[in-house]
Amino acid sequence: MWRRRLGALLLRSPPSSSSPAASSCQRSRHHLLPTEEPLALNRLARLFTSQAGSDGDGGHSQKPFIAFVLGGPGSGKGTQCTKIASDFGFVHLSAGDLLRHEIASGSEKGELILDIIKQGRIVPSEITVELIRKAMEMSNANKVLIDGFPRCEENRVAFERIVGTEPDIVIFFDCPEDEMVKRLLGRNQGRVDDNIETIKKRLKVFESLNIPVVDYYSSRGKVHKINATGTADEIFEAVRRIFSSLRF
Ligand SMILES: Nc1ncnc2c1ncn2[C@@H]1O[C@H](COP(=O)(O)OP(=O)(O)OP(=O)(O)O)[C@@H](O)[C@H]1O
Ligand SMILES: O=c1ccn([C@@H]2O[C@H](COP(=O)(O)O)[C@@H](O)[C@H]2O)c(=O)[nH]1
Ligand SMILES: [Mg+2]
């Protein structure tokens, strides 16, 4: 059972200050605020070991099929994920939405997340990976889209270490910057980061930290690059061809 393997992995890999996942993407560990200290991985391990016996009551005994969906801010990840979920039966987990949900909960962690999102920076890996891991666990899905994650190499390493698996495929929406800016400024959903100052920072972070993740998975033959210009329906035709050819 892949979850049981995760419990074992967590127990085998206690957090250490030199662990790559123990620091945020942008700053070295000794610059962390107290609230950014790595979340207790022991707590995660306890969570997993206490749930390990739940296999018998409906949990999937196989690792889910995981697709990471990457692309610059405003490239259309969320729009396309909604269509993939509806046509191909995937559960859509948006890392950004999970973080915004945590902000809306009013937790202390939410305050830190809000501050980081306003600056267009990347939330510490342990926070995001824990939210994703819990959402995967609760959805109990066998096909999962993880939208907008991993944002940086450290996110990637933390996910693979904590969840104990790699994505099966990576979808990359390739979109010119001017088109992304136009879409974000027209989105009108009241997001705190959809203003030109933060958008410029998000684009820089995307180029410097997210593209290396795409390159990493490209070198492992996992990336499907899609031209993200044109209408949403035109783009979805290219997406549909990829998902139709997969064997889940
Ligand atoms: N192909 C398209 N052509 C024009 N507008 C689009 C297209 N796809 C999405 N949009 C619009 O662009 C905006 C951004 O799209 P979406 O939220 O899907 O992007 P995203 O990649 O998830 O962005 P973010 O990284 O900020 O979450 C939305 O208002 C959406 O309706
Ligand atoms: O894995 C992630 C995902 C998102 N963030 C932060 O949230 C905002 C918004 O994300 P969207 O995917 O555009 O909804 C992003 O700019 C980051 O600040 C993150 O840190 N880690
Ligand atoms: Mg989105």
Side-chain angles (χ1 to χ4, degrees):
M1 162 51 154
W2 72 284
R3 288 183 193 138
R4 197 166 274 155
R5 194 157 52 84
L6 167 61
L9 262 173
L10 285 168
L11 290 169
R12 254 189 270 130
S13 324
S16 77
S17 57
S18 60
S19 148
S23 60
S24 77
C25 284
Q26 297 97 338
R27 286 184 289 171
S28 64
R29 195 180 183 304
H30 56 274
H31 287 137
L32 291 176
L33 301 171
T35 43
E36 288 178 282
E37 283 299 316
L39 292 182
L41 287 184
N42 285 338
R43 189 155 54 87
L44 277 180
R46 274 202 303 279
L47 226 159
F48 255 90
T49 40
S50 66
Q51 288 177 349
S54 67
D55 291 31
D57 46 48
H60 283 290
S61 57
Q62 284 193 326
K63 174 191 115 44
F65 183 97
I66 298 173
F68 282 167
V69 180
L70 301 178
S75 58
K77 301 180 293 297
T79 304
Q80 295 299 323
C81 282
T82 302
K83 290 173 179 287
I84 301 166
S86 140
D87 281 25
F88 293 95
F90 275 73
V91 163
H92 173 197
L93 300 179
S94 155
D97 284 351
L98 291 170
L99 293 169
R100 284 182 285 274
H101 189 259
E102 185 65 32
I103 295 171
S105 77
S107 71
E108 199 181 320
K109 218 188 301 167
E111 287 176 30
L112 166 74
I113 296 169
L114 175 60
D115 189 43
I116 293 172
I117 287 182
K118 277 183 182 164
Q119 297 175 49
R121 292 168 52 241
I122 298 173
V123 172
S125 299
E126 287 79 5
I127 293 180
T128 315
V129 174
E130 185 176 13
L131 291 173
I132 293 172
R133 187 197 63 74
K134 277 187 184 158
M136 286 173 69
E137 182 79 354
M138 281 175 68
S139 78
N140 200 25
N142 61 354
K143 289 184 274 183
V144 185
L145 296 170
I146 302 186
D147 163 5
F149 178 93
R151 292 301 245 250
C152 59
E153 276 291 284
E154 192 210 89
N155 275 180
R156 176 185 71 72
V157 171
F159 180 91
E160 293 183 358
R161 182 173 58 84
I162 295 172
V163 179
T165 186
E166 286 193 17
D168 296 280
I169 59 166
V170 177
I171 304 293
F172 171 54
F173 290 108
D174 188 25
C175 194
E177 271 197 18
D178 55 350
E179 176 65 19
M180 293 194 277
V181 173
K182 192 172 81 185
R183 290 181 190 176
L184 292 174
L185 291 176
R187 179 154 56 183
N188 234 354
Q189 286 178 357
R191 276 181 49 166
V192 291
D193 52 350
D194 279 352
N195 57 78
I196 192 62
E197 197 191 336
T198 312
I199 289 169
K200 282 182 185 162
K201 291 180 187 160
R202 289 161 70 194
L203 288 167
K204 274 195 185 142
V205 167
F206 168 68
E207 274 303 321
S208 60
L209 298 176
N210 204 187
I211 289 293
V213 177
V214 177
D215 291 343
Y216 170 82
Y217 285 123
S218 289
S219 73
R220 297 175 65 87
K222 295 199 173 193
V223 174
H224 296 263
K225 180 171 162 177
I226 294 176
N227 176 353
T229 57
T231 67
D233 285 345
E234 284 166 352
I235 296 162
F236 189 60
E237 280 317 304
V239 172
R240 186 196 298 285
R241 279 195 291 277
I242 292 167
F243 279 83
S244 299
S245 71
L246 295 173
R247 295 186 62 200
F248 307 120

